[in-house]
Amino acid sequence: MRLAVVGAGAVGASVVELAGEYDHEIVALADSSSAAVDDSGLDAASVLDRKRDSGRVGDADPADALEADYDVLVEATPTTLGDAEPGFSHLRRALERDRHVVLANKGPVAERYGEVRSLEADSRGSVLFEATVGGAIPVLSTIDDLNGQVTAARGILNGTANFILSRMAAEGLGYEHVLAEAQDLGVAEADPTFDVEGTDAALKCVILANVLYDDSYALEDADVEGIADLPGSALELAAEDGRTVRLIGEVADGAVRVGPRLVPETDPLSVSGTQNIVQLETSHAGRLNISGRGAGGPETASAVLADVGRLPPLE
Amino acid sequence: MSETDARSYTVRLELVDEPGELLRALEPIADNGGNLLSIFHERGNLTPRGRIPVEVDLEATPGKFDDIVEALREAGVNVIQAGAERYSEELTVVIVGHLVETDLSDTLQRFQECGGASVADLSLSAPAGTGDVSSARLRLVASEGRSERALSTLRGVAAEKDLRVIEPLTEGSA
């Protein structure tokens, strides 16, 4: 397939770098201010070198990438809340041109799922978004393979929050201390709000709800509580009783809920560090646990490229 | 489980140490269709009121069990505790906030009054003193099927007092 990648952050850059291994070609790459377009295929190393050295990927306008001769648009711009722009417009343009879209950006399917599905219905292109939930973990494709047999999903979908909670529990350290440590390690961003207030996990759960119930949930439909300023004493009391606290997202009985929960220390959900895990309840096969890396450039890119491989050929 | 299925129950009674008391306590059980499984007569032990505790395990349908408890009370037998102990649900929650300043005993009392649950155990941790944010771990025993109601009561009381509740993950919970 011929890919146009919009967004040249960790995920977009990794898609460009790894596409060749999957026998795909990159014909366009755009960041927020520039683009490189070449119908005969871009050289991954040189375009990424240029981005690193000059901050620009090429001399073209970002809009040119959207008009390039591609089969699949990989949308990897940062997730935005509310109208999910500019990701949503990028997706719409690709579908209007009857091209496929693979999302790493959660916005369009978390905030405007109904519109995405109706644009897709009018297009010869399809939309896949495995990378938006649980990074490298094949969550959505597993749900799809189970053919409507998944009745509920829960899990740990934010590595930053999980890192903070597991460090607090393991070292008996306070929230502020561990947050600062996570920021030093690059596990938490300078502004950690999105992760520690539960927003990121909630967006992923909203996407799961949209897929499980084929409905249009958005962030405001989720009941969200974060882990910010949780005292160490709460984790100590939990530990005395063989339990720990984890930021759990749940989709069940039509409701979406994210919040800190007590989990037995020996439970499969008690993953440590930045690991993510998703637990699926199925009608005939009980419970499935899938865990792995929920974030990171190459990890998320592997989910993007797996989606590209699932797409049908465009007539 | 249907209403007609027999279940095991444990009834804890207080008896005065007089001849015939035990028989008087057991009759209402048999008369109301209960099947006695075991009787543990703790003669060496006294309740705070100086009586002898007796633990009776029996089998009955839920409807008949209610009749038994009522008949025991009518017969003047003091029933300390009656319930489907084996079927009760235990849950652990951690609450966080200004627990002491917002009157922890009031929180617990209101919770017990309307939640259909009792607090079996409480651990409080207030490392920065009682004037600061503290945490408490509660072990709750709710009767069967009442866990959700108990949690929802707890949520209500907590919201009013600006406390955070860290709930357990329960099977099939939303």
Side-chain angles (χ1 to χ4, degrees):
Chain A
M1 294 262 196
R2 293 161 65 79
L3 315 184
V5 179
V6 184
V11 176
S14 289
V15 171
V16 170
E17 203 175 322
L18 299 176
E21 278 186 43
Y22 291 73
D23 294 325
H24 301 306
E25 207 176 2
I26 304 291
V27 295
L29 171 66
D31 63 12
S32 55
S33 61
S34 65
V37 180
D38 187 338
D39 284 350
S40 58
L42 290 166
D43 177 59
S46 60
V47 73
L48 294 175
D49 280 349
R50 179 159 180 190
K51 167 79 177 164
R52 190 166 48 245
D53 297 342
S54 70
R56 293 170 62 86
V57 293
D59 298 321
D61 188 79
D64 296 341
L66 294 173
E67 302 309 320
D69 182 21
Y70 60 81
D71 301 313
V72 184
L73 180 77
V74 174
E75 221 300 329
T77 61
T79 296
T80 50
L81 301 180
D83 63 5
E85 293 292 4
F88 184 83
S89 292
H90 296 163
L91 167 139
R92 175 163 50 205
R93 182 68 193 127
L95 289 176
E96 281 169 357
R97 293 181 63 202
D98 290 317
R99 308 299 158 89
H100 294 306
V101 178
V102 171
L103 297 171
N105 174 356
K106 294 178 276 294
V109 276
E111 299 287 0
R112 301 175 76 174
Y113 189 74
E115 291 171 78
V116 169
R117 283 306 193 200
S118 79
L119 286 170
E120 185 190 31
D122 293 336
S123 172
R124 281 202 290 275
S126 305
V127 181
L128 291 176
F129 42 98
E130 179 69 84
T132 61
V133 181
I137 308 173
V139 182
L140 301 179
S141 52
T142 302
I143 291 173
D144 190 46
D145 282 348
L146 289 165
N147 273 310
Q149 300 303 316
V150 175
T151 55
R154 74 177 67 78
I156 290 171
L157 291 165
N158 186 275
T160 304
N162 204 63
F163 176 88
I164 292 172
L165 291 172
S166 41
R167 284 289 289 170
M168 283 175 74
E171 309 296 332
L173 298 168
Y175 173 81
E176 291 296 338
H177 183 111
V178 175
L179 174 61
E181 180 188 85
Q183 285 167 328
D184 286 346
L185 289 169
V187 169
E189 305 200 17
D191 177 3
T193 316
F194 213 58
D195 297 314
V196 299
E197 295 295 351
T199 314
D200 175 68
L203 289 170
K204 291 164 181 169
C205 287
V206 163
I207 295 170
L208 281 170
N210 283 331
V211 170
L212 289 182
Y213 305 131
D214 192 23
D215 205 337
S216 286
Y217 286 78
L219 189 56
E220 56 268 26
D221 301 313
D223 176 9
V224 188
E225 198 193 320
I227 59 151
D229 302 318
L230 204 67
S233 57
L235 285 132
E236 279 163 29
L237 285 173
E240 278 174 20
D241 199 38
R243 292 160 211 265
T244 189
V245 179
R246 288 289 182 265
L247 183 67
I248 304 281
E250 274 190 290
V251 180
D253 304 324
V256 178
R257 177 177 171 190
V258 173
R261 304 288 285 272
L262 284 175
V263 179
E265 277 169 348
T266 53
D267 196 278
L269 283 176
S270 298
V271 293
S272 306
T274 57
Q275 286 281 77
N276 282 23
I277 180 164
V278 175
Q279 205 167 63
L280 302 174
E281 298 290 344
T282 67
S283 305
H284 309 301
R287 182 176 285 176
L288 297 177
N289 292 308
I290 333 173
S291 62
R293 296 187 187 173
E299 291 84 351
T300 310
S302 82
V304 167
L305 290 162
D307 266 351
V308 172
R310 291 180 187 109
L311 289 165
L314 288 165
E315 300 93 76
Chain B
M1 191 173 289
S2 81
E3 273 296 295
T4 54
D5 282 337
R7 305 183 194 180
S8 302
Y9 294 91
T10 301
V11 186
R12 209 168 151 79
L13 313 170
E14 279 190 339
L15 299 181
V16 185
D17 193 7
E18 281 174 15
E21 271 294 297
L22 183 59
L23 182 63
R24 198 166 68 85
L26 297 181
E27 268 170 357
I29 296 172
D31 291 350
N32 286 283
N35 178 26
L36 277 170
L37 297 174
S38 73
I39 302 160
F40 183 52
H41 196 185
E42 300 170 51
R43 283 197 66 102
N45 239 334
L46 289 182
T47 68
R49 276 180 287 196
R51 300 191 180 169
I52 299 169
V54 177
E55 213 168 82
V56 180
D57 282 334
L58 61 97
E59 241 175 23
T61 63
K64 283 182 175 167
F65 179 70
D66 290 343
D67 295 343
I68 289 168
V69 173
E70 201 180 321
L72 282 168
R73 289 188 166 136
E74 272 173 19
V77 176
N78 195 8
V79 183
I80 313 175
Q81 207 182 346
E85 288 295 316
R86 293 183 196 179
Y87 294 97
S88 65
E89 296 169 5
E90 242 188 50
L91 40 141
T92 301
V93 300
V94 171
I95 53 177
V96 178
H98 288 277
L99 299 175
V100 179
E101 285 178 352
T102 59
D103 196 345
L104 185 56
S105 66
D106 170 72
T107 304
L108 299 179
Q109 194 181 343
R110 283 173 54 196
F111 175 52
Q112 302 217 118
E113 274 165 10
C114 50
S118 58
V119 178
D121 186 37
L122 168 84
S123 300
L124 179 72
S125 173
T130 54
D132 206 338
V133 168
S134 51
S135 306
R137 185 184 69 237
L138 309 179
R139 190 161 57 84
L140 309 166
V141 180
S143 38
E144 193 188 7
R146 291 292 187 84
S147 295
E148 192 40 53
R149 185 173 140 192
L151 281 174
S152 123
T153 304
L154 185 60
R155 274 179 218 135
V157 176
E160 202 183 300
K161 298 191 174 197
D162 203 18
L163 307 175
R164 290 165 84 166
V165 182
I166 304 174
E167 294 178 26
L169 266 183
T170 48
E171 289 297 312
S173 64

